[in-house]
Amino acid sequence: MIAQVWQYVLGGVVDGAIFALVAAGFVLIYQVTGIINFAQGEFVMVGGMTAASLAAAGMPPLGAAAVAVVVAACVGALAYLLAIRPARGATGVTLIFITLGLDVALRGLALFVWGTNPYSLPPFSAGNAVKLFGGVLPPQAMWVLGTDLLVFAALYLFFQKTYVGTAVRAAVANPPIASTFGIPLRTFAFASFVVAAAIGGIGGVVITPIPGVQYDAGLTYGLAGFVAAVLGGLESLPGALLGGFVLGIVEHVAGGLLSPGWEQGVGFLILVLVLVLRPQGLLGRAARRA
Amino acid sequence: MTLRQAQGDTRDDAPMLEVEGVSTMRGRVQVLWDVSLTVRLGETVAIVGPNGAGKTTLVGSITGLLPPSAGRIRIQGADVTGSAPERLAARRVALVPERRGIFAPLTVRENLLMGAYARKAPRAELDADVAGVLELFPALQRYIGGIAGSLSGGEQQMVAIGRALMAKPDLMLLDEPSLGLAPKIRSEIFGALSRLAQRGVTILLVEQNLRLAAKICQRAYLMQRGRIVGTATPEELAESARKVYLESHG
Ligand SMILES: Nc1ncnc2c1ncn2[C@@H]1O[C@H](COP(=O)(O)OP(=O)(O)O)[C@@H](O)[C@H]1O
Ligand SMILES: [Mg+2]
């Protein structure tokens, strides 16, 4: 029983790592632009589908992975330029509908390009399953967790240690005053979409060798990433990381012990509980900005 | 003619800032009505007037945060009417905003560094400039790595002024820097401002405290209900400050 639960936990950690990446995308865009981008999960799908279809066409996996991340970033750039930028000044509700529309449009585009067939991608490295305290992880899981570590470390270093990263934090803290010092708010808004999309694409690329991917895979990732971001307080990257893993583990354990159909139900339940009991997230303080 | 004279000739009267017939809306309400004023290079000019007169709106119109609906604004002769705030920053206009507007979650050092964003200067140069700000405001030294939002109002005002100085501004706009500060801190801050003025920084100072304004300005505009209704010398400002004082204490 315990061994079984442990195995569910390990599975949850792998999924949770991807949820954390998607959640990081939600947080980045929300912090910089105030927009909740409900199309976030589609970047995972675009990354996974591009990598898988290129690999199927004979490209080596790592090359396909690199191209896929660039494609995802470009989709993010276009999404901003074509859908978000023209609507600047719109109200929050309008922007929510725009990102929901974007989500549907990207899924439709994927259906058009790739059809309904599931795609798969070979693991990045051969080797045996990794044993951990009696549980097992596929070798690809190491790529997933290593990528998570790298992405979050890079984000941390960028925001805390670089001049431009500091300027982004200044822009988040006080946009109009930041702009009077020459800090380019619109460029940062654009960059937040590109980077969030690239991070989603990276997640899609590294996770695809495990469950495979199809045109509508973005829905699940987007929803989970949103719940994870809300769990983390929507304004915190460490919160997104924690929220991703918590959600992944809870979903897998609940799905394993009850039935797989419960996974998403549990996700929704967590979302509702957090919004009601702790809207500032697991790490957030009760009061937000001063 | 020597070079020095040549510079002197052009400098003395060269306008740093020209506001010409500016009207500005806030939402559907017109707040500024045909406002005109000039600040010459190296001058310290005050704008005084009651709450709600439109002083902050005027400052916003100059920085590009509240673009005017009519009129012209020129910086060193260049028309900047309706330019984005980023463009004004590139022209070395720096703002010390009303209620300070510091980047609360950032450290004091980070706040200062962000003031120099438009300069794109190498890090060593910026570090030297941070040291210069700390010389002007030694009180900030011990908080330099601390979160700016946790500082007192007076210390935050020093951060806001220091941040603006990091822009190496040709024109500094200060919106009520004395607001809500203890008298001792006020005089410390105004002491620093008058040293800056002596160094040749052009200053447009919005200030409701007439006595403080009189201390450092060369002349003042009086603002009321969105209009410039007159000008005053520092002596006149000091005089009316004394009258107000006597009225309220006599
Ligand atoms: N955000 C706003 N929307 C609409 N009206 C505003 C806004 N802010 C200020 N006002 C109005 O504009 C007028 C001038 O305000 P302001 O420029 O802040 O004056 P001051 O700085 O001289 O106190 C006031 O009557 C105020 O009520
Ligand atoms: Mg004001």
Side-chain angles (χ1 to χ4, degrees):
Chain A
M1 173 70 181
I2 301 237
Q4 195 56 48
V5 172
W6 176 240
Q7 185 57 46
Y8 296 145
V9 169
L10 289 182
V13 165
V14 175
D15 263 358
I18 303 306
F19 298 168
L21 291 180
V22 182
F26 272 103
V27 170
L28 272 181
I29 290 177
Y30 178 71
Q31 285 272 69
V32 175
T33 67
I35 297 170
I36 296 178
N37 174 32
F38 284 107
Q40 198 59 37
E42 304 309 327
F43 300 135
V44 179
M45 177 276 292
V46 167
M49 288 301 276
T50 307
S53 56
L54 288 178
M59 202 183 242
L62 286 180
V67 173
V69 173
V70 173
V71 168
C74 291
V75 170
L78 287 175
Y80 176 81
L81 294 174
L82 300 179
I84 306 295
R85 176 76 184 275
R88 65 173 180 272
T91 62
V93 178
T94 309
L95 284 164
I96 285 176
F97 278 108
I98 287 175
T99 70
L100 284 172
L102 197 59
D103 185 71
V104 174
L106 288 174
R107 207 172 324 120
L109 203 63
L111 178 62
F112 179 75
V113 174
W114 288 297
T116 55
N117 286 337
Y119 279 70
S120 62
L121 186 65
F124 295 178
S125 53
N128 297 321
V130 182
K131 290 206 171 66
L132 199 68
F133 302 117
V136 283
L137 284 171
Q140 184 66 20
M142 295 302 123
W143 284 90
V144 172
L145 295 174
T147 303
D148 234 43
L149 193 68
L150 277 182
V151 168
F152 276 92
L155 287 172
Y156 172 82
L157 290 175
F158 172 71
F159 283 113
Q160 300 301 326
K161 304 291 176 196
T162 72
Y163 191 74
V164 175
T166 307
V168 176
R169 286 190 292 128
V172 169
N174 195 334
I177 299 305
S179 73
T180 69
F181 288 101
I183 292 174
L185 305 183
R186 276 197 207 155
T187 307
F188 287 177
F190 174 70
S192 75
F193 269 82
V194 174
V195 171
I199 292 174
I202 290 171
V205 164
V206 292
I207 195 68
T208 294
I210 298 175
V213 64
Q214 67 228 11
Y215 81 98
D216 62 355
L219 261 180
T220 322
Y221 290 122
L223 213 53
F226 176 63
V227 175
V230 171
L231 261 175
L234 211 50
E235 297 193 340
S236 149
L237 287 170
L241 185 62
L242 181 68
F245 282 113
V246 167
L247 181 68
I249 291 168
V250 170
E251 274 197 9
H252 269 253
V253 171
L257 293 181
L258 305 170
S259 85
W262 278 83
E263 287 194 3
Q264 287 203 11
V266 167
F268 271 120
L269 191 67
I270 290 182
L271 177 62
V272 171
L273 284 178
V274 169
L275 288 177
V276 172
L277 298 178
R278 216 177 147 74
Q280 71 272 33
L282 295 175
L283 299 182
R285 283 153 299 149
R288 282 176 22 179
R289 291 163 198 158
Chain B
M1 190 164 52
T2 66
L3 184 61
R4 202 185 151 75
Q5 277 171 324
Q7 280 179 346
D9 286 349
T10 49
R11 279 196 155 212
D12 282 348
D13 292 300
M16 179 72 231
L17 165 71
E18 296 160 276
V19 175
E20 216 177 87
V22 159
S23 297
T24 302
M25 314 283 293
R26 294 198 87 156
R28 287 184 195 153
V29 183
Q30 182 162 357
V31 171
L32 293 187
W33 304 77
D34 195 25
V35 169
S36 297
L37 58 84
T38 306
V39 180
R40 283 183 282 276
L41 235 147
E43 256 191 325
T44 298
V45 173
I47 296 179
V48 299
N51 263 334
K55 306 180 296 296
T56 297
T57 307
L58 174 58
V59 168
S61 301
I62 297 168
T63 58
L65 289 173
L66 298 169
S69 54
R72 294 271 142 238
I73 293 173
R74 278 186 286 275
I75 301 286
Q76 296 190 303
D79 192 335
V80 297
T81 320
S83 292
E86 291 95 311
R87 303 286 302 278
L88 271 296
R91 293 196 175 275
R92 302 260 162 134
V93 176
L95 171 67
V96 178
E98 190 173 42
R99 293 176 202 289
R100 309 179 282 271
I102 57 160
F103 304 125
L106 275 59
T107 66
V108 170
R109 183 191 301 282
E110 287 170 338
N111 267 273
L112 296 178
L113 290 172
M114 287 305 110
Y117 192 89
R119 284 169 54 196
K120 315 232 176 287
R123 188 56 190 256
E125 197 179 319
L126 297 186
D127 287 339
D129 293 339
V130 168
V133 169
L134 294 178
E135 255 169 57
L136 190 69
F137 295 119
L140 289 182
Q141 181 75 62
R142 49 191 289 236
Y143 303 114
I144 188 74
I147 298 302
S150 66
L151 268 52
S152 74
E155 290 151 359
Q156 290 191 11
Q157 191 60 266
M158 295 176 196
V159 173
I161 294 172
R163 179 179 63 181
L165 286 174
M166 290 292 292
K168 290 253 166 90
D170 290 336
L171 172 64
M172 216 167 146
L173 309 168
L174 295 110
D175 195 347
E176 303 211 41
S178 75
L179 195 72
L181 302 186
K184 184 172 164 291
I185 309 280
R186 278 183 187 173
S187 49
E188 195 174 328
I189 280 171
F190 272 72
L193 290 181
S194 78
R195 285 200 292 285
L196 292 175
Q198 277 156 23
R199 276 191 221 162
V201 181
T202 310
I203 294 177
L204 181 64
L205 168 73
V206 169
E207 186 54 69
Q208 288 203 48
N209 185 319
L210 302 183
R211 195 181 53 81
L212 286 173
K215 256 194 200 167
I216 68 165
C217 77
Q218 278 128 41
R219 53 199 184 84
Y221 289 95
L222 314 179
M223 225 180 152
Q224 238 169 47
R225 294 201 208 124
R227 292 186 165 85
I228 300 283
V229 295
T231 58
T233 64
E235 293 74 25
E236 288 164 344
L237 287 184
E239 176 65 18
S240 46
R242 210 171 49 236
K243 268 192 210 146
V244 171
Y245 180 84
L246 289 177
E247 275 164 24
S248 60
H249 288 74

